[in-house]
Amino acid sequence: MVFGKRSMRAGTNLFADQVRSMACSGSRSWARIIGITTIVLLAGNCAFADFLVQPIIIKRQVHPGKQVQIEFRVENLSSDTTEQVSLKLSDLTQSVHGMWQQVDPNDPNNTVDVSKLKSCKNWLRCDTASVQVDPFQAVPVNLIATIPGGTRGYYFAALIAETAPRQVDLNGAGALVGLQYIIPIVLECQGVPLQHNVQLTDVGLKYYPATLERPTPAVYASMTIVNNGGTYSRLQGVLRVQQQVDNNWRRVADLKLTPCGIIPGVTLKLNEDVGTILPSGKYRVEGYLY
């Protein structure tokens, strides 16, 4: 367990922080479904997605110096439409909130240093660049992984599966909409186990004012976690928020963060809503990381 603590003065400056949201423009948009979110959306509204990739995350133990074949399936959930799904490989990282992200070297906003990633993208090849899937059918596809000798630990890549944009009606306006899946690929090269080097480096408290997207203001407690090792580690974080009243500390909230994983070379900032608006005063935030 890693423990961190920070006391902070929550005054008018705390409440002055602003939240920026990302806006999309243009007639072409992409609906992204990443990781477990895919299962949730499909359970709630099967009509949202016309195709599915199984498994939604590809994990495999491999041996250095060997070649392995990895099979996945592209399934068409539509009853009347044939889907054309393109497939490509990409480097993989995580957002600061732990969500999987592809690394697009052609994206001018990309700030990821690919040289620092534990990438297996160049070890992989897909036996097809595109598949056509008839209604209610599934097509098997193979990935071939050639593992270099002398490697050990965890390596990552992403399989990007997407449909060509199609014309749909959104709130009375026509738009080109495509669907894209990011399928994480996690290869564990067996050998001498690597040591964990996951550190809890900071905790904090931040006020978010009301916006058009979120009409209710909120206070979030957060913890910052860095993985400087070579392991893919599962995390469980707990945050305790206390307020100083006279000479005593009064508990405000004990927050259990959603469990997640962290890949090597990544920094995460995980947060949770305190559940109440806090008055100005002195607060103490304690973080516990398992």
Short mmCIF file of all heavy atoms in Angstrom, two decimals, residues 221-272:
data_model
loop_
_atom_site.label_atom_id
_atom_site.label_comp_id
_atom_site.label_asym_id
_atom_site.label_seq_id
_atom_site.Cartn_x
_atom_site.Cartn_y
_atom_site.Cartn_z
N ALA A 221 -12.06 15.31 -5.14
CA ALA A 221 -10.76 14.94 -4.57
C ALA A 221 -10.04 14.07 -5.60
O ALA A 221 -10.67 13.32 -6.35
CB ALA A 221 -10.94 14.19 -3.26
N SER A 222 -8.71 14.16 -5.64
CA SER A 222 -7.96 13.45 -6.67
C SER A 222 -6.66 12.90 -6.12
O SER A 222 -6.15 13.34 -5.08
CB SER A 222 -7.65 14.39 -7.84
OG SER A 222 -6.78 15.44 -7.43
N MET A 223 -6.13 11.89 -6.82
CA MET A 223 -4.79 11.39 -6.53
C MET A 223 -4.05 11.19 -7.85
O MET A 223 -4.65 10.81 -8.87
CB MET A 223 -4.82 10.08 -5.73
CG MET A 223 -5.43 8.90 -6.41
SD MET A 223 -5.09 7.33 -5.55
CE MET A 223 -5.63 7.66 -3.89
N THR A 224 -2.74 11.49 -7.83
CA THR A 224 -1.89 11.34 -9.01
C THR A 224 -0.98 10.13 -8.80
O THR A 224 -0.34 9.99 -7.75
CB THR A 224 -1.04 12.60 -9.23
OG1 THR A 224 -1.91 13.73 -9.37
CG2 THR A 224 -0.20 12.46 -10.49
N ILE A 225 -0.94 9.25 -9.81
CA ILE A 225 -0.22 7.98 -9.72
C ILE A 225 0.70 7.84 -10.93
O ILE A 225 0.29 8.13 -12.07
CB ILE A 225 -1.21 6.80 -9.69
CG1 ILE A 225 -2.24 6.99 -8.56
CG2 ILE A 225 -0.48 5.48 -9.53
CD1 ILE A 225 -3.51 6.21 -8.76
N VAL A 226 1.92 7.42 -10.70
CA VAL A 226 2.91 7.26 -11.77
C VAL A 226 3.42 5.82 -11.77
O VAL A 226 3.71 5.26 -10.71
CB VAL A 226 4.10 8.23 -11.58
CG1 VAL A 226 5.13 8.03 -12.69
CG2 VAL A 226 3.63 9.67 -11.56
N ASN A 227 3.51 5.23 -12.96
CA ASN A 227 4.08 3.89 -13.12
C ASN A 227 5.43 4.02 -13.81
O ASN A 227 5.50 4.19 -15.03
CB ASN A 227 3.15 2.99 -13.93
CG ASN A 227 3.63 1.55 -13.99
OD1 ASN A 227 4.71 1.23 -13.51
ND2 ASN A 227 2.83 0.67 -14.58
N ASN A 228 6.51 3.94 -13.03
CA ASN A 228 7.86 4.02 -13.58
C ASN A 228 8.48 2.64 -13.77
O ASN A 228 9.67 2.55 -14.10
CB ASN A 228 8.75 4.85 -12.65
CG ASN A 228 8.36 6.33 -12.64
OD1 ASN A 228 8.10 6.91 -13.68
ND2 ASN A 228 8.32 6.93 -11.46
N GLY A 229 7.68 1.59 -13.58
CA GLY A 229 8.19 0.24 -13.74
C GLY A 229 7.80 -0.37 -15.08
O GLY A 229 7.43 0.34 -16.02
N GLY A 230 7.85 -1.69 -15.15
CA GLY A 230 7.54 -2.38 -16.39
C GLY A 230 6.33 -3.28 -16.29
O GLY A 230 6.09 -4.10 -17.19
N THR A 231 5.54 -3.14 -15.21
CA THR A 231 4.40 -4.01 -15.01
C THR A 231 3.10 -3.31 -15.37
O THR A 231 3.00 -2.07 -15.34
CB THR A 231 4.31 -4.48 -13.55
OG1 THR A 231 4.16 -3.32 -12.69
CG2 THR A 231 5.56 -5.24 -13.15
N TYR A 232 2.10 -4.10 -15.70
CA TYR A 232 0.72 -3.63 -15.89
C TYR A 232 -0.01 -3.93 -14.60
O TYR A 232 -0.31 -5.09 -14.30
CB TYR A 232 0.10 -4.34 -17.09
CG TYR A 232 -1.37 -4.05 -17.32
CD1 TYR A 232 -1.87 -2.76 -17.21
CD2 TYR A 232 -2.24 -5.07 -17.68
CE1 TYR A 232 -3.21 -2.49 -17.44
CE2 TYR A 232 -3.58 -4.81 -17.92
CZ TYR A 232 -4.05 -3.52 -17.80
OH TYR A 232 -5.38 -3.26 -18.02
N SER A 233 -0.25 -2.92 -13.80
CA SER A 233 -0.70 -3.11 -12.42
C SER A 233 -2.14 -2.67 -12.24
O SER A 233 -2.56 -1.64 -12.79
CB SER A 233 0.19 -2.32 -11.46
OG SER A 233 1.54 -2.73 -11.56
N ARG A 234 -2.89 -3.44 -11.46
CA ARG A 234 -4.24 -3.05 -11.09
C ARG A 234 -4.20 -2.16 -9.85
O ARG A 234 -3.39 -2.38 -8.94
CB ARG A 234 -5.10 -4.29 -10.79
CG ARG A 234 -5.30 -5.18 -11.99
CD ARG A 234 -6.16 -4.53 -13.06
NE ARG A 234 -7.49 -4.19 -12.57
CZ ARG A 234 -8.39 -3.50 -13.26
NH1 ARG A 234 -8.09 -3.02 -14.45
NH2 ARG A 234 -9.57 -3.25 -12.75
N LEU A 235 -5.06 -1.15 -9.82
CA LEU A 235 -5.05 -0.16 -8.76
C LEU A 235 -6.39 -0.09 -8.05
O LEU A 235 -7.44 -0.25 -8.65
CB LEU A 235 -4.76 1.24 -9.33
CG LEU A 235 -3.50 1.41 -10.18
CD1 LEU A 235 -3.45 2.83 -10.72
CD2 LEU A 235 -2.26 1.10 -9.37
N GLN A 236 -6.34 0.18 -6.75
CA GLN A 236 -7.52 0.55 -5.98
C GLN A 236 -7.12 1.70 -5.07
O GLN A 236 -6.23 1.57 -4.23
CB GLN A 236 -8.03 -0.61 -5.13
CG GLN A 236 -9.18 -0.23 -4.19
CD GLN A 236 -10.44 0.20 -4.94
OE1 GLN A 236 -11.11 -0.62 -5.56
NE2 GLN A 236 -10.74 1.50 -4.91
N GLY A 237 -7.74 2.86 -5.28
CA GLY A 237 -7.41 4.04 -4.51
C GLY A 237 -8.53 4.45 -3.57
O GLY A 237 -9.72 4.25 -3.88
N VAL A 238 -8.15 4.99 -2.42
CA VAL A 238 -9.10 5.51 -1.44
C VAL A 238 -8.64 6.91 -1.05
O VAL A 238 -7.45 7.12 -0.78
CB VAL A 238 -9.19 4.61 -0.20
CG1 VAL A 238 -10.12 5.22 0.84
CG2 VAL A 238 -9.65 3.20 -0.58
N LEU A 239 -9.57 7.87 -1.02
CA LEU A 239 -9.27 9.24 -0.63
C LEU A 239 -10.09 9.61 0.61
O LEU A 239 -11.29 9.33 0.66
CB LEU A 239 -9.59 10.22 -1.77
CG LEU A 239 -8.63 10.19 -2.95
CD1 LEU A 239 -9.27 10.84 -4.17
CD2 LEU A 239 -7.33 10.90 -2.60
N ARG A 240 -9.46 10.21 1.58
CA ARG A 240 -10.15 10.67 2.79
C ARG A 240 -10.01 12.20 2.86
O ARG A 240 -8.89 12.74 2.83
CB ARG A 240 -9.55 10.02 4.03
CG ARG A 240 -10.14 10.53 5.35
CD ARG A 240 -9.67 9.67 6.51
NE ARG A 240 -10.19 8.31 6.36
CZ ARG A 240 -9.75 7.27 7.08
NH1 ARG A 240 -8.77 7.44 7.94
NH2 ARG A 240 -10.29 6.08 6.90
N VAL A 241 -11.14 12.88 2.96
CA VAL A 241 -11.17 14.34 3.04
C VAL A 241 -11.63 14.74 4.44
O VAL A 241 -12.66 14.26 4.92
CB VAL A 241 -12.12 14.94 1.98
CG1 VAL A 241 -12.11 16.46 2.05
CG2 VAL A 241 -11.72 14.47 0.58
N GLN A 242 -10.85 15.63 5.08
CA GLN A 242 -11.17 16.10 6.42
C GLN A 242 -11.13 17.63 6.46
O GLN A 242 -10.33 18.25 5.74
CB GLN A 242 -10.19 15.53 7.45
CG GLN A 242 -10.24 14.01 7.57
CD GLN A 242 -9.14 13.48 8.46
OE1 GLN A 242 -7.97 13.70 8.20
NE2 GLN A 242 -9.52 12.78 9.52
N GLN A 243 -11.95 18.22 7.29
CA GLN A 243 -12.00 19.67 7.47
C GLN A 243 -11.57 20.02 8.89
O GLN A 243 -11.95 19.36 9.86
CB GLN A 243 -13.41 20.21 7.21
CG GLN A 243 -13.55 21.72 7.38
CD GLN A 243 -14.98 22.19 7.23
OE1 GLN A 243 -15.92 21.39 7.31
NE2 GLN A 243 -15.17 23.48 6.99
N GLN A 244 -10.76 21.09 9.01
CA GLN A 244 -10.35 21.54 10.34
C GLN A 244 -11.45 22.38 10.96
O GLN A 244 -11.87 23.39 10.39
CB GLN A 244 -9.05 22.33 10.27
CG GLN A 244 -8.47 22.65 11.64
CD GLN A 244 -7.14 23.36 11.55
OE1 GLN A 244 -6.96 24.24 10.71
NE2 GLN A 244 -6.20 22.99 12.42
N VAL A 245 -11.92 21.94 12.11
CA VAL A 245 -12.93 22.67 12.87
C VAL A 245 -12.32 22.94 14.24
O VAL A 245 -12.09 22.01 15.02
CB VAL A 245 -14.24 21.88 12.99
CG1 VAL A 245 -15.27 22.66 13.79
CG2 VAL A 245 -14.79 21.53 11.61
N ASP A 246 -12.07 24.25 14.53
CA ASP A 246 -11.31 24.64 15.74
C ASP A 246 -9.96 23.94 15.67
O ASP A 246 -9.21 24.14 14.72
CB ASP A 246 -12.10 24.29 17.00
CG ASP A 246 -13.42 25.06 17.08
OD1 ASP A 246 -13.44 26.21 16.62
OD2 ASP A 246 -14.41 24.50 17.58
N ASN A 247 -9.63 23.11 16.63
CA ASN A 247 -8.34 22.42 16.62
C ASN A 247 -8.47 20.94 16.27
O ASN A 247 -7.53 20.16 16.48
CB ASN A 247 -7.66 22.57 17.99
CG ASN A 247 -7.24 24.00 18.27
OD1 ASN A 247 -6.79 24.70 17.37
ND2 ASN A 247 -7.40 24.43 19.53
N ASN A 248 -9.62 20.56 15.75
CA ASN A 248 -9.87 19.15 15.43
C ASN A 248 -10.11 18.98 13.94
O ASN A 248 -10.48 19.92 13.23
CB ASN A 248 -11.09 18.64 16.22
CG ASN A 248 -10.89 18.73 17.71
OD1 ASN A 248 -9.86 18.32 18.22
ND2 ASN A 248 -11.88 19.28 18.42
N TRP A 249 -9.90 17.75 13.47
CA TRP A 249 -10.17 17.40 12.08
C TRP A 249 -11.46 16.59 12.01
O TRP A 249 -11.56 15.56 12.65
CB TRP A 249 -9.01 16.61 11.48
CG TRP A 249 -7.78 17.44 11.28
CD1 TRP A 249 -6.68 17.49 12.08
CD2 TRP A 249 -7.54 18.34 10.21
NE1 TRP A 249 -5.76 18.37 11.59
CE2 TRP A 249 -6.25 18.91 10.44
CE3 TRP A 249 -8.26 18.75 9.09
CZ2 TRP A 249 -5.69 19.85 9.58
CZ3 TRP A 249 -7.71 19.68 8.23
CH2 TRP A 249 -6.44 20.23 8.47
N ARG A 250 -12.42 17.09 11.22
CA ARG A 250 -13.71 16.43 11.08
C ARG A 250 -13.78 15.75 9.72
O ARG A 250 -13.47 16.35 8.69
CB ARG A 250 -14.85 17.45 11.19
CG ARG A 250 -16.25 16.84 11.04
CD ARG A 250 -17.32 17.91 11.19
NE ARG A 250 -17.24 18.89 10.12
CZ ARG A 250 -17.84 18.75 8.92
NH1 ARG A 250 -18.55 17.66 8.66
NH2 ARG A 250 -17.73 19.69 8.01
N ARG A 251 -14.18 14.48 9.71
CA ARG A 251 -14.25 13.74 8.45
C ARG A 251 -15.37 14.30 7.57
O ARG A 251 -16.51 14.46 8.01
CB ARG A 251 -14.50 12.25 8.70
CG ARG A 251 -14.49 11.40 7.42
CD ARG A 251 -14.77 9.94 7.74
NE ARG A 251 -16.12 9.75 8.21
CZ ARG A 251 -17.19 9.59 7.39
NH1 ARG A 251 -17.02 9.60 6.08
NH2 ARG A 251 -18.38 9.43 7.91
N VAL A 252 -15.03 14.58 6.32
CA VAL A 252 -16.01 15.05 5.33
C VAL A 252 -16.46 13.90 4.45
O VAL A 252 -17.65 13.72 4.20
CB VAL A 252 -15.41 16.19 4.47
CG1 VAL A 252 -16.39 16.59 3.36
CG2 VAL A 252 -15.05 17.39 5.33
N ALA A 253 -15.51 13.09 3.98
CA ALA A 253 -15.86 11.98 3.07
C ALA A 253 -14.73 10.98 3.00
O ALA A 253 -13.55 11.35 3.07
CB ALA A 253 -16.18 12.51 1.68
N ASP A 254 -15.08 9.71 2.86
CA ASP A 254 -14.16 8.64 2.48
C ASP A 254 -14.60 8.15 1.11
O ASP A 254 -15.72 7.66 0.95
CB ASP A 254 -14.20 7.49 3.49
CG ASP A 254 -13.48 7.83 4.78
OD1 ASP A 254 -12.54 8.65 4.74
OD2 ASP A 254 -13.87 7.29 5.84
N LEU A 255 -13.72 8.29 0.13
CA LEU A 255 -14.08 8.04 -1.26
C LEU A 255 -13.28 6.86 -1.80
O LEU A 255 -12.04 6.87 -1.76
CB LEU A 255 -13.81 9.28 -2.11
CG LEU A 255 -14.43 10.59 -1.60
CD1 LEU A 255 -13.90 11.77 -2.40
CD2 LEU A 255 -15.95 10.52 -1.69
N LYS A 256 -13.98 5.87 -2.32
CA LYS A 256 -13.34 4.71 -2.95
C LYS A 256 -13.37 4.90 -4.46
O LYS A 256 -14.44 4.97 -5.06
CB LYS A 256 -14.06 3.43 -2.54
CG LYS A 256 -13.33 2.15 -2.93
CD LYS A 256 -14.03 0.93 -2.35
CE LYS A 256 -13.28 -0.35 -2.67
NZ LYS A 256 -13.96 -1.54 -2.10
N LEU A 257 -12.20 5.00 -5.06
CA LEU A 257 -12.11 5.22 -6.49
C LEU A 257 -12.41 3.95 -7.27
O LEU A 257 -12.23 2.84 -6.77
CB LEU A 257 -10.72 5.73 -6.86
CG LEU A 257 -10.26 7.02 -6.16
CD1 LEU A 257 -8.85 7.38 -6.58
CD2 LEU A 257 -11.22 8.16 -6.45
N THR A 258 -12.87 4.13 -8.49
CA THR A 258 -13.14 2.98 -9.36
C THR A 258 -11.83 2.26 -9.68
O THR A 258 -10.86 2.90 -10.10
CB THR A 258 -13.80 3.45 -10.66
OG1 THR A 258 -15.00 4.15 -10.36
CG2 THR A 258 -14.11 2.27 -11.57
N PRO A 259 -11.74 0.95 -9.47
CA PRO A 259 -10.50 0.22 -9.78
C PRO A 259 -10.14 0.36 -11.26
O PRO A 259 -11.02 0.42 -12.13
CB PRO A 259 -10.84 -1.23 -9.42
CG PRO A 259 -12.00 -1.14 -8.48
CD PRO A 259 -12.78 0.06 -8.90
N CYS A 260 -8.86 0.41 -11.54
CA CYS A 260 -8.41 0.50 -12.93
C CYS A 260 -7.00 -0.06 -13.01
O CYS A 260 -6.39 -0.43 -12.00
CB CYS A 260 -8.46 1.94 -13.44
SG CYS A 260 -7.25 3.04 -12.68
N GLY A 261 -6.47 -0.14 -14.22
CA GLY A 261 -5.10 -0.58 -14.43
C GLY A 261 -4.24 0.59 -14.86
O GLY A 261 -4.74 1.62 -15.32
N ILE A 262 -2.92 0.43 -14.71
CA ILE A 262 -1.99 1.46 -15.18
C ILE A 262 -0.86 0.76 -15.93
O ILE A 262 -0.27 -0.21 -15.44
CB ILE A 262 -1.45 2.31 -14.00
CG1 ILE A 262 -0.53 3.42 -14.52
CG2 ILE A 262 -0.76 1.46 -12.96
CD1 ILE A 262 -0.16 4.44 -13.46
N ILE A 263 -0.55 1.24 -17.13
CA ILE A 263 0.50 0.65 -17.95
C ILE A 263 1.81 1.39 -17.69
O ILE A 263 1.82 2.51 -17.17
CB ILE A 263 0.12 0.66 -19.44
CG1 ILE A 263 0.10 2.09 -20.01
CG2 ILE A 263 -1.23 -0.01 -19.66
CD1 ILE A 263 -0.19 2.15 -21.48
N PRO A 264 2.95 0.80 -18.05
CA PRO A 264 4.24 1.44 -17.79
C PRO A 264 4.37 2.79 -18.48
O PRO A 264 3.88 3.00 -19.59
CB PRO A 264 5.25 0.43 -18.37
CG PRO A 264 4.55 -0.87 -18.31
CD PRO A 264 3.11 -0.57 -18.58
N GLY A 265 5.03 3.73 -17.79
CA GLY A 265 5.32 5.04 -18.36
C GLY A 265 4.17 6.02 -18.35
O GLY A 265 4.27 7.09 -18.96
N VAL A 266 3.08 5.69 -17.66
CA VAL A 266 1.87 6.52 -17.69
C VAL A 266 1.67 7.20 -16.33
O VAL A 266 2.00 6.64 -15.29
CB VAL A 266 0.64 5.66 -18.05
CG1 VAL A 266 -0.66 6.37 -17.71
CG2 VAL A 266 0.66 5.31 -19.53
N THR A 267 1.13 8.42 -16.36
CA THR A 267 0.72 9.13 -15.16
C THR A 267 -0.80 9.28 -15.17
O THR A 267 -1.37 9.77 -16.16
CB THR A 267 1.36 10.52 -15.09
OG1 THR A 267 2.78 10.39 -15.02
CG2 THR A 267 0.88 11.29 -13.86
N LEU A 268 -1.46 8.84 -14.11
CA LEU A 268 -2.90 8.94 -13.99
C LEU A 268 -3.27 9.97 -12.93
O LEU A 268 -2.56 10.12 -11.93
CB LEU A 268 -3.53 7.60 -13.61
CG LEU A 268 -3.28 6.40 -14.52
CD1 LEU A 268 -4.05 5.19 -14.00
CD2 LEU A 268 -3.67 6.71 -15.95
N LYS A 269 -4.38 10.66 -13.16
CA LYS A 269 -4.96 11.53 -12.14
C LYS A 269 -6.41 11.09 -11.96
O LYS A 269 -7.27 11.43 -12.76
CB LYS A 269 -4.87 13.00 -12.52
CG LYS A 269 -5.33 13.94 -11.40
CD LYS A 269 -5.07 15.39 -11.73
CE LYS A 269 -5.46 16.30 -10.56
NZ LYS A 269 -5.19 17.73 -10.86
N LEU A 270 -6.65 10.31 -10.92
CA LEU A 270 -7.97 9.75 -10.66
C LEU A 270 -8.70 10.62 -9.66
O LEU A 270 -8.12 11.07 -8.67
CB LEU A 270 -7.84 8.32 -10.12
CG LEU A 270 -6.98 7.36 -10.96
CD1 LEU A 270 -6.92 6.00 -10.29
CD2 LEU A 270 -7.51 7.25 -12.38
N ASN A 271 -10.00 10.88 -9.92
CA ASN A 271 -10.74 11.75 -9.01
C ASN A 271 -12.12 11.20 -8.72
O ASN A 271 -12.61 10.30 -9.40
CB ASN A 271 -10.81 13.17 -9.56
CG ASN A 271 -11.39 13.24 -10.96
OD1 ASN A 271 -12.19 12.41 -11.35
ND2 ASN A 271 -10.99 14.24 -11.71
N GLU A 272 -12.73 11.77 -7.69
CA GLU A 272 -14.06 11.35 -7.27
C GLU A 272 -14.77 12.54 -6.65
O GLU A 272 -14.18 13.35 -5.94
CB GLU A 272 -13.96 10.21 -6.25
CG GLU A 272 -15.28 9.60 -5.85
CD GLU A 272 -15.95 8.83 -6.99
OE1 GLU A 272 -15.21 8.25 -7.82
OE2 GLU A 272 -17.18 8.81 -7.04
#
